[in-house]
Amino acid sequence: MVCSGNWSLASTFIVVGFEAVRETELFLFCLFLLIYIITIGAHLLIIGLVAIDRCLHKPMYVFLTNFSVAEIVYATATMPKMLDGLLTQNKEISYSACLVQFYFFFTFGNSENLLLSAMAYDRYVAICHPLRYSAIMNRHTCVTICSVCCVCAFLHAFLHAIVTSRLDFHHQEHIPHFFCDIPPLLEISSSDTTFNQLLIFTEGSLVALVPSSLTVLSYVRIIISILRIRSSTGRRKTFSTCYSHLTIVILFYSTVIFMYFRPSSFYSPTYDRVISIVYSVIIPMLNPFIYSLRNKEIKSALRKMISIRFHPN
């Protein structure tokens, strides 16, 4: 253990991960490797489609591109180390690597939260103020919103990384998780974590509550507008433009609320690992398919790209 003033650094942690027999670990390695490849490939495909198809050069897809970039980094922050642990059984992670992993995971997870709010606002303007959409959601507005999302996410993660780094840990402390996240780190710390818990429920709640409130408010206004449409066909068509986004919002917030905004007495390593698999592995893979399968413009762009690739003339 290296100490400097009030700072106390464990040289390494042991990431427990999945305690299973070797055959199960190899099966999980193959499964999660396949999921990781699909996740990266699907998000890169969305980024590529938006980049090359002019029909997708719209604010909604600008936000979606940024969301896909965030998802790629979000998944990459945890999955390669998890895969290495399953394949080589090397469970060690250095203290500095643990903090870096935690920082990037937290940064881009929060970026997704903010971008979901931006996408909800985009749908609100498109449905409730269609004639003013182009004027409100112009290029300058999109760049500003994306920049604010990135800056806020980086600062939020930096604050929690600094506070977490000042905790004391025993040498080669075992982390009952498959990556460095706040709940398991607080659980194994030998320091008083009251301030960290307070920070999560105050600043963390504020950072989560503001965008989530904007998302809820946007959808309340959207639903009211949809209900005013007399035609049932018109209501279905209008709702279909935000159905995929709403699905992702529900998946994202349900897992985040369970994981971070609950009393420490409810902490359970087993349940937390299961929930973490859902929000850090499964959901990033599902998100691009939720968007592409429910989005006519993306499916049209994909068909066009396939047509050009296999029938260039």
Side-chain angles (χ1 to χ4, degrees):
M1 181 178 292
V2 180
C3 299
S4 178
N6 292 327
W7 295 64
S8 184
L9 309 183
S11 58
T12 58
F13 289 120
I14 304 297
V15 182
V16 174
F18 305 92
E19 298 174 302
V21 297
R22 187 59 182 155
E23 291 76 10
T24 303
E25 286 189 332
L26 291 175
F27 169 76
L28 290 174
F29 169 80
C30 295
L31 176 63
F32 290 143
L33 177 62
L34 178 62
I35 291 174
Y36 182 60
I37 292 172
I38 292 173
T39 300
I40 301 301
H43 283 293
L44 287 176
L45 179 61
I46 288 179
I47 294 170
L49 287 174
V50 174
I52 64 177
D53 196 314
R54 289 185 175 274
C55 295
L56 299 182
H57 292 181
K58 302 175 182 178
M60 174 182 174
Y61 299 108
V62 172
F63 295 135
L64 182 57
T65 299
N66 281 269
F67 187 80
S68 289
V69 171
E71 289 261 80
I72 289 173
V73 183
Y74 178 76
T76 303
T78 60
M79 291 194 69
K81 177 58 183 173
M82 179 182 68
L83 291 170
D84 175 65
L86 289 170
L87 182 63
T88 67
Q89 295 186 303
N90 175 22
K91 307 293 185 178
E92 289 190 4
I93 184 170
S94 69
Y95 179 86
S96 57
C98 183
L99 282 181
V100 169
Q101 184 185 64
F102 158 77
Y103 178 74
F104 279 98
F105 177 80
F106 215 51
T107 296
F108 288 93
N110 195 52
S111 294
E112 293 181 19
N113 174 35
L114 296 169
L115 286 168
L116 285 173
S117 179
M119 293 159 78
Y121 176 72
D122 174 76
R123 291 299 83 206
Y124 157 71
V125 176
I127 293 172
C128 300
H129 303 283
L131 299 180
R132 298 173 55 200
Y133 180 77
S134 298
I136 297 174
M137 298 302 295
N138 53 47
R139 182 181 180 85
H140 176 73
T141 302
C142 290
V143 172
T144 301
I145 291 175
C146 290
S147 299
V148 170
C149 289
C150 290
V151 172
C152 289
F154 275 97
L155 291 177
H156 173 65
F158 183 73
L159 173 62
H160 284 272
I162 290 296
V163 173
T164 303
S165 70
R166 299 187 68 86
L167 296 175
D168 292 330
F169 297 96
H170 294 299
H171 181 62
Q172 284 203 329
E173 186 71 78
H174 286 67
I175 301 177
H177 210 48
F178 63 91
F179 66 92
C180 297
D181 199 5
I182 287 183
L185 286 175
L186 296 185
E187 186 69 17
I188 66 172
S189 175
S190 57
S191 301
D192 182 4
T193 61
T194 302
F195 179 74
N196 300 73
Q197 297 283 356
L198 182 63
L199 191 65
I200 292 173
F201 279 95
T202 54
E203 186 272 346
S205 296
L206 181 65
V207 171
L209 187 61
V210 172
S212 61
S213 297
L214 290 174
T215 301
V216 171
L217 181 60
S218 295
Y219 272 104
V220 168
R221 298 295 299 274
I222 287 171
I223 292 171
I224 291 173
S225 295
I226 291 175
L227 293 176
R228 288 175 178 171
I229 300 174
R230 295 182 178 180
S231 168
S232 59
T233 302
R235 286 196 295 268
R236 284 195 300 270
K237 184 177 180 180
T238 303
F239 184 72
S240 67
T241 64
C242 55
Y243 175 83
S244 56
H245 176 259
L246 183 58
T247 303
I248 292 173
V249 166
I250 293 172
L251 288 173
F252 180 85
Y253 284 116
S254 59
T255 53
V256 167
I257 289 172
F258 176 86
M259 192 66 188
Y260 297 103
F261 300 103
R262 55 181 174 141
S264 57
S265 57
F266 286 87
Y267 178 78
S268 169
T270 302
Y271 289 150
D272 281 15
R273 270 177 276 189
V274 173
I275 295 298
S276 295
I277 286 293
V278 173
Y279 73 74
S280 66
V281 177
I282 305 300
I283 291 180
M285 180 190 68
L286 293 178
N287 284 345
F289 292 100
I290 292 172
Y291 261 107
S292 60
L293 293 176
R294 298 287 306 185
N295 192 297
K296 293 181 180 179
E297 290 179 309
I298 288 183
K299 288 191 288 186
S300 176
L302 181 60
R303 283 194 295 267
K304 190 187 304 182
M305 186 183 72
I306 294 173
S307 177
I308 293 174
R309 174 66 179 83
F310 292 100
H311 305 285
N313 297 323

